Amino acid sequence: MAKYVKQGQVQAGYTCMEDAVYKTVRDVIQDVAADQDAAVRKLSAQFDQWSPESFCLSEAQIQAIIARVPDRVKDDIRFAQQQVRGFVEKQFATMQDLEVETLPGVILGHKHIPVSSVGCYIPGGRYPMVASAHMSILTAKVAGVRRVMACPPPIKGEIPAATICAMAYAGADEIYVLGGIQAMAAMALGTETIEPVDMLVGPGNAYVAEAKAPALRQGGH
């Protein structure tokens, strides 16, 4: 007879969980759409116990955080980003524009045009995910995106220093220490103090993934 060490949920369990995730995400996004900065602050305090004077890090704060990062970690970040950048630049070079005149006066082709702004979610609710900064922020900057905003969540009430360092080295234009659904909603919808972006990228848990759904980015309509 088979002995099960661990069993997964039955389909009904998954469906129930998906429904709960959808409802939570929908409610949070609707809150942010309605109350903007006030909702973001309330939700950050509720989910992350995090309510700083400003979620956006100033240049002075970023440099002070980088100064606390051990030199060996900085060297590792620089090395990793050098490897990523080298490959991405080669990859980008293969994406060539095309224009051809197939008949007199008939011109066909395509162009690769980067979006104007990207919001990068860098997860780290329990542990810092430094590599996500390389793979999202750095690739966006190489592609020519003018404004790259990044959101790492606080970890147990602390700013993830190595992740901030990686974001700065990768070229992030704005860094907001903000996590979860409220970060995704703020980047996509905008608030009184946060300008919205054209595209959201980056990994995350089920709630973050659900928040990237196009319908929910419009406030659940």
Side-chain angles (χ1 to χ4, degrees), residues 2 6-8 17 24-25 41 60 72-73 90 103 111 113-114 126 131 142 144 153 158 170-171 177 198 216:
K6 184 178 181 181
Q7 289 182 280
M17 181 178 67
T24 299
V25 171
R41 183 166 295 279
R72 174 61 185 271
V73 174
K90 291 289 191 294
L103 292 170
K111 275 190 172 184
I113 302 175
R126 294 184 180 179
V142 170
E158 297 291 335
V177 181
D198 297 324
L216 287 176

Side-chain angles (χ1 to χ4, degrees), residues 101-219:
E101 188 170 13
T102 58
L103 292 170
V106 179
I107 300 175
L108 305 177
H110 62 247
K111 275 190 172 184
H112 297 281
I113 302 175
V115 297
S116 295
S117 57
V118 168
C120 302
Y121 187 72
I122 313 299
R126 294 184 180 179
Y127 307 101
M129 302 286 285
V130 177
S132 290
H134 316 331
M135 304 306 294
S136 57
I137 299 168
L138 186 59
T139 53
K141 296 307 287 188
V142 170
V145 178
R146 289 194 296 271
R147 173 179 169 246
V148 177
M149 173 184 176
C151 284
I155 300 178
K156 298 179 181 178
E158 297 291 335
I159 293 175
T163 303
I164 299 299
C165 180
M167 290 177 172
Y169 286 177
D173 299 294
E174 302 164 30
I175 299 175
Y176 290 77
V177 181
L178 189 61
I181 311 166
Q182 60 271 20
M184 304 300 288
M187 289 193 287
L189 301 176
T191 71
E192 295 96 336
T193 60
I194 299 174
E195 183 181 349
V197 297
D198 297 324
M199 179 183 291
L200 297 176
V201 300
N205 61 20
Y207 294 93
V208 169
E210 184 67 32
K212 288 193 287 187
L216 287 176
R217 290 209 303 269
Q218 299 304 317

Side-chain angles (χ1 to χ4, degrees), residues 37-58 61 65 68 121 124-125 150-161 164 175-180 182-183 194:
D37 280 336
V40 169
R41 183 166 295 279
K42 177 193 73 174
L43 293 161
S44 180
Q46 176 185 341
F47 292 122
D48 289 326
Q49 295 75 54
W50 180 252
S51 184
E53 182 177 343
S54 174
F55 292 103
C56 183
L57 296 178
S58 67
Q61 287 176 307
I65 291 167
R68 301 202 308 263
Y121 187 72
C151 284
I155 300 178
K156 298 179 181 178
E158 297 291 335
I159 293 175
I164 299 299
I175 299 175
Y176 290 77
V177 181
L178 189 61
Q182 60 271 20
I194 299 174

